[in-house]
Amino acid sequence: MPNVFGSPHKGSGPSDSGTTTSRFGNHEQVVFCQDEATGLRAIIALHSTALGPGLGGTRFYPYGSEDEALADVLNLSRGMAYKNALAGLDHGGGKAVIIGDPAKDKSEGLLRAYGRFVQSLNGRYYTACDVGTYSEDMDVIARESRFVTGRTRAHGGAGDSS
């Protein structure tokens, strides 16, 4: 697969031309998020919104390649669709990954840029904590997006649900 972050595009899914069924394993939408100013490279995958908006955490991890990050987010979002359905939640499956080392690459600007991408999905995806992200990070993301859960108690959340 070519370097997906090497050419500008927003992603693929219902809001773009074509479908995602063959390339992305029956996912409804896959969004490639890039912000040059902050170094953000992230992928948001929505497997299914049949039961409601996709719900799943954001993983911040130093993947060895974009292919590895894409494979992980597709598997994780599919798993979240089943997990949310089995739990009886009115949510579909979604997941996101931010490519990078959270100890070195995480910044307020990067998290806020990511939050703007989550917001651009207009409630089709709700994010939360996962590997490499914490409730404090969700508070920062929530400065740009209403579709965030797992915020700190000080900011009206229930804390880290993971």
Side-chain angles (χ1 to χ4, degrees), residues 5-8 33-41 113 117:
F5 292 101
S7 60
C33 314
Q34 182 173 13
D35 181 71
E36 289 185 34
T38 63
L40 172 70
R41 291 183 309 141
F117 280 100

Side-chain angles (χ1 to χ4, degrees), residues 82-136:
Y82 294 116
K83 180 179 177 180
N84 291 336
L86 288 170
L89 301 178
D90 292 332
H91 287 284
K95 201 74 169 185
V97 297
I98 298 174
I99 301 169
D101 181 347
K104 295 189 302 186
D105 301 324
K106 189 188 298 182
S107 68
E108 178 180 344
L110 182 142
L111 292 173
R112 290 183 74 160
Y114 171 68
R116 289 189 292 275
F117 280 100
V118 173
Q119 182 65 29
S120 76
L121 293 171
N122 295 314
R124 286 178 49 79
Y125 172 64
Y126 280 75
T127 193
C129 306
D130 197 82
V131 173
T133 60
Y134 305 94
S135 293
E136 294 78 12

